[in-house]
Amino acid sequence: MPTDPASRRRFLAFLAGSPLLAASGLDPALFDTLLGTSTRADTATLDLAERLAGAPGTHTALQPPLIASPADALDVFDFEPVAQRNIPIAHWGYLNTGSDDDATIAANRAGFDRWALRPRRLVDVSRVDGGVTLYGTRYPSPIVLNPVGSQKAFHKEGEVAVARAARARDHLMVLSTVATTSIEDAIAVRGGPVWFQLYHQSDWSLTKQMVQRAERAGAPAIAFTVDLLGGSNRETMVREARRDTRDCIKCHLGGPPLPGVSGRVDDRDNRRKPNLVGYRALPPQLEQGTPTWEFVDRLKQSTSMKVLLKGIVTGEDAALAVEHGVDGLFVSNHGGRAENSRRATITSLPEVVAGVQGRIPIICDGGFRRGTDVFKALALGATAAGIGRPYIWGLGAFGQDGVEAVLALLRREFEVTMKQSGTTTVAQIGMRHITPA
Ligand SMILES: Cc1cc2nc3c(=O)[nH]c(=O)nc-3n(C[C@H](O)[C@H](O)[C@H](O)COP(=O)(O)O)c2cc1C
């Protein structure tokens, strides 16, 4: 079931006209009222519709027509149902989950609706350059492929297909600590810099080796993720895993995910995560508690790579980050899968921009699905915009070609928005181009 309001509306429109729904005797208006509060309510309502329509246990009978090739896609949402068809339901749950009732996923999307565009006319926009520079490297687009773990759970080529797409379209890619491809392989396939996303380990000796390895491999930057330090409660992931009839233990030694546990399932599964294996057994230096700013200082001292923090959402933390010498920030709530704040990242962005005062780059992520979303973030002061699920929909649907198509669609939409706003470079985009809706 699509979680995005636009896809949901399209799906509902399809369902409302479906002979199956009519045959079920369910009133489409009632159906419309029932849907839309949370992923959990959506799933329950769909299950009801399926039972009434006589298609138990499968969404197939009620699916809208799917695109057959990346070229058929009109927007990134077109990839979602194709990916859902291809990806096993437990893995789909891992992709789709937020925390608690998934409300922050919806909040991230709704945040963009609070801003409207102020288009400008009669400016020569025949040539437009949407490129940005990050730490000396020029990219033709501000759209960043954010770290997403375990990509071979979505397509057999996983991060390798994504790195190929990043190379073909020249986008910045950030590789997760829990990727199913090593940082060395990702950089080799990308044929250019890939940033490394860091999940710290309870043993500093191991964390330090991971950082040094990323640096040796040629990563110019690491993004230390700070939004899961308190854990997260991912109910949709657990619920969907329970619906999967396959034997999880065949691949995951720890079995299916457990309630109340975020990301990691079981340490024994690290053998499937190349960035977590192959380190020397040095005398352990165990962390005391969870990381604080002291850890950030240590991280900075341990590497000459740029160090970014991923998951900052307040002006206070942004200012502290600059004080501690951090080189950049991701305004992020982990795509609504960290704390269930119900606050959109686009709403958090202005206070982070104020805290940073232009001193370091800011990447904003969370719910970016349209070129207009990217434009609004840049207008509010972001340097670039990160995407997670949309490119995984492309990957799950059509592998590398799907990822490339998602990037091309978002880039085209963004450049059209730039032109409609009378801006020909990213530097020209500012607050005067948007207004509260
Ligand atoms: C399935 C999945 C796995 C993710 N894995 C990681 C990860 O390993 N490290 C990390 O810092 N962020 C991770 N994220 C968060 C993304 O980097 C990003 O913040 C988020 O997906 C952006 O929101 P969006 O999915 O709405 O575009 C993950 C997100 C998803 C959906």
Side-chain angles (χ1 to χ4, degrees), residues 94 146-147 149 176 197 199 225 310 332 334-335 365 367 369 388-389:
Y94 168 60
N146 254 47
S176 166
Q197 175 270 327
Y199 281 134
T225 297
K310 180 168 179 288
S332 176
H334 221 104
D365 72 67
R369 306 288 182 263
R389 296 181 185 89

Side-chain angles (χ1 to χ4, degrees), residues 150-164:
S150 302
Q151 293 182 14
K152 287 184 184 155
F154 309 121
H155 184 272
K156 61 182 185 318
E157 290 176 341
E159 297 84 358
V160 171
V162 174
R164 286 199 196 108

Side-chain angles (χ1 to χ4, degrees), residues 40-350:
R40 184 178 183 178
D42 291 347
T43 306
T45 312
L46 261 183
D47 285 348
L48 173 70
E50 281 168 0
R51 277 203 299 279
L52 290 170
T58 167
H59 290 174
T60 319
L62 292 173
Q63 286 291 1
L66 303 184
I67 55 167
S69 93
D72 295 338
L74 297 180
D75 55 40
V76 302
F77 301 111
D78 282 336
F79 294 90
E80 187 182 6
V82 185
Q84 182 173 11
R85 181 197 59 193
N86 293 352
I87 294 172
I89 191 160
H91 296 179
W92 184 254
Y94 168 60
L95 177 65
N96 226 12
T97 199
S99 52
D100 298 351
D101 60 2
D102 297 341
T104 305
I105 298 179
N108 276 344
R109 285 297 300 143
F112 292 106
D113 295 337
R114 286 192 220 112
W115 292 100
L117 303 176
R118 295 187 67 246
R120 296 297 309 274
R121 314 298 187 202
L122 295 165
V123 178
D124 178 4
V125 288
S126 53
R127 294 164 78 87
V128 63
D129 177 4
V132 292
T133 302
L134 282 161
Y135 309 123
T137 302
R138 183 85 184 157
Y139 297 94
S141 161
I143 298 161
V144 175
L145 293 158
N146 254 47
V148 168
S150 302
Q151 293 182 14
K152 287 184 184 155
F154 309 121
H155 184 272
K156 61 182 185 318
E157 290 176 341
E159 297 84 358
V160 171
V162 174
R164 286 199 196 108
R167 178 182 197 143
R169 302 276 164 176
D170 200 9
H171 280 252
L172 172 60
M173 171 179 179
V174 187
L175 188 80
S176 166
T177 289
V178 291
T180 37
T181 298
S182 70
I183 182 68
E184 293 83 2
D185 288 350
I187 289 176
V189 173
R190 170 62 179 86
V194 172
W195 295 5
F196 184 67
Q197 175 270 327
L198 179 73
Y199 281 134
H200 81 290
Q201 306 299 301
S202 51
D203 178 1
W204 171 248
S205 305
L206 178 54
T207 307
K208 198 166 146 193
Q209 286 188 72
M210 286 167 60
V211 171
Q212 289 168 343
R213 174 177 166 185
E215 186 158 7
R216 262 199 320 276
I222 48 167
F224 170 44
T225 297
V226 295
D227 54 20
L228 290 184
L229 301 179
S232 77
N233 176 38
R234 297 182 179 174
E235 294 182 13
T236 294
M237 176 171 80
V238 176
R239 199 168 281 115
E240 299 289 62
R242 286 178 182 165
R243 280 153 51 98
D244 199 319
T245 52
R246 298 166 315 142
D247 186 8
C248 294
I249 207 120
K250 272 193 177 155
C251 302
H252 303 278
L253 294 177
L258 300 172
V261 177
S262 61
R264 191 178 309 160
V265 176
D266 188 299
D267 278 347
R268 288 173 296 168
D269 287 328
N270 288 353
R271 70 203 157 95
R272 302 154 60 81
K273 310 281 164 60
N275 299 305
L276 285 171
V277 294
Y279 297 98
R280 282 175 299 146
L282 298 175
Q285 293 175 265
L286 297 182
E287 297 292 347
Q288 303 296 314
T290 55
T292 62
W293 291 103
E294 175 278 324
F295 182 92
V296 174
D297 296 338
R298 226 187 310 150
L299 204 55
K300 272 290 293 175
Q301 284 153 19
S302 70
T303 178
S304 59
M305 289 183 289
K306 301 291 182 194
V307 173
L308 295 93
L309 298 184
K310 180 168 179 288
I312 296 295
V313 287
T314 60
E316 297 94 305
D317 283 344
L320 277 169
V322 177
E323 270 174 41
H324 284 266
V326 166
D327 300 289
L329 298 178
F330 281 79
V331 176
S332 176
N333 54 28
H334 221 104
R337 49 208 278 131
E339 70 287 333
N340 192 23
S341 66
R342 294 174 177 257
R343 190 181 191 214
T345 49
I346 196 78
T347 308
S348 304
L349 177 61

Side-chain angles (χ1 to χ4, degrees), residues 359-413:
R359 290 171 288 181
I360 53 175
I362 297 172
I363 300 168
C364 187
D365 72 67
F368 286 79
R369 306 288 182 263
R370 289 284 185 186
T372 48
D373 303 337
V374 177
F375 186 90
K376 288 172 188 177
L378 268 51
L380 288 166
T383 317
I387 54 169
R389 296 181 185 89
Y391 82 84
I392 299 297
W393 297 337
L395 175 70
F398 301 107
Q400 177 188 347
D401 291 348
V403 180
E404 280 197 49
V406 162
L407 291 172
L409 279 164
L410 285 175
R411 185 167 160 183
R412 191 183 69 195
E413 289 177 4

